[in-house]
Amino acid sequence: MRWRYVAIGILSALALTACPSEFGKDGRVAKAVHQDAQEQVIIISKCEERYRNRVCAPGKETSMECLECGGPP
């Protein structure tokens, strides 16, 4: 009967050690959800052409403001 408790304890420890890399704040699942949300925001929020040209000027193509406007024109 004691072996069941030991086996359950070992399996629980193994299962819980994988959680931070998968579901933690910087886990793969959290990063995937964040990326999906960012893609949806980019699609929804389009900026005016003048503002977009200003924030996506050469050298600023990868800035957060440019990406929020949908990327370089």
Side-chain angles (χ1 to χ4, degrees):
M1 194 72 158
R2 184 175 179 188
W3 62 272
R4 284 187 183 172
Y5 294 119
V6 172
I8 290 172
I10 291 172
L11 289 175
S12 298
L14 289 174
L16 292 175
T17 57
C19 289
S21 66
E22 294 294 323
F23 302 105
K25 183 178 180 183
D26 293 325
R28 288 192 288 171
V29 174
K31 289 179 182 177
V33 169
H34 179 69
Q35 183 177 3
D36 288 343
Q38 288 295 331
E39 289 173 1
Q40 293 298 323
V41 169
I42 288 172
I43 292 170
I44 292 172
S45 64
K46 298 293 182 183
C47 302
E48 291 182 14
E49 194 65 31
R50 288 188 301 173
Y51 179 74
R52 187 175 180 189
N53 289 336
R54 187 178 62 198
V55 296
C56 294
K60 296 182 182 179
E61 291 91 359
T62 58
S63 69
M64 185 58 78
E65 292 86 8
C66 182
L67 296 176
E68 288 174 354
C69 284

